[in-house]
Amino acid sequence: MSENTTPALGFDDLLAANDAFAAKFTLGGFDGIAHRGVAVVTCMDSRIDPLGMLGLSPGDAKIFRNPGGRVTAAALEALVLGVHLLNVQRILVVPHTSCAMTKYTETELREIIGEKAGSDASWQGFHVINDQEAALKADVAAVRSHPLIPDTVAVGGFIYDVDSGKLDRRV
Ligand SMILES: [Zn+2]
């Protein structure tokens, strides 16, 4: 994999790659349900391959990503839809090691972003994580206790190690 080959502007390289992708595309007409019954909530971190880490392929799982892999209101909305309309029977909440969201306080992040943006960022909320283990437990509990997610759905909390590729179940 090469580094720093990102063009400053434009989408041409990506659209050229899409032409090649579409030329070999075989998933047309596929439905959108989770064929392996899996939903994953994980971080937007570019080191994470949510399907690959679980031995899954397109069509197998619903993937919801955000900074930190947090169970936010939007994540719960996605999980409720997944469970009732898209065959989700197993939910994995997967934050990871070396996550940027564990490195700063909300105040620090607002200062850094404000400086980079050259504009006040004090109004912007970020779901920073002070204690990753505690946040994971709370997030898993939020899924398990959701009134629209039945007890028959398996819910687990795992930390993904970005250096070994291993998942470690914590909850
Ligand atoms: Zn992260």
Side-chain angles (χ1 to χ4, degrees), residues 2-17:
S2 57
E3 288 178 41
N4 298 322
T5 53
T6 313
L9 291 167
F11 304 97
D12 291 353
D13 58 327
L14 302 175
L15 291 175

Side-chain angles (χ1 to χ4, degrees), residues 14-27 58:
L14 302 175
L15 291 175
N18 177 252
D19 283 341
F21 176 77
K24 293 182 182 172
F25 193 68
T26 57
L27 299 174

Side-chain angles (χ1 to χ4, degrees), residues 136 157-161 166-171:
L136 179 56
F158 307 79
I159 293 186
Y160 176 73
D161 186 324
K166 291 285 257 181
L167 280 171
D168 181 14
R169 182 157 192 180
R170 300 296 177 90
V171 194

Side-chain angles (χ1 to χ4, degrees), residues 37-55:
V38 175
V40 181
V41 176
T42 193
C43 186
M44 65 193 275
D45 195 291
S46 51
R47 293 168 289 188
I48 298 173
D49 172 2
L51 293 177
M53 74 160 86
L54 297 168

Side-chain angles (χ1 to χ4, degrees), residues 104 108-121 126:
Y104 305 101
E108 286 168 342
L109 212 45
R110 284 172 170 165
E111 280 170 10
I112 292 165
I113 301 292
E115 202 166 296
K116 285 181 180 289
S119 178
D120 174 45
F126 298 101

Side-chain angles (χ1 to χ4, degrees), residues 43 45 68 96 99-101:
C43 186
D45 195 291
H96 64 98
C99 184
M101 298 308 285

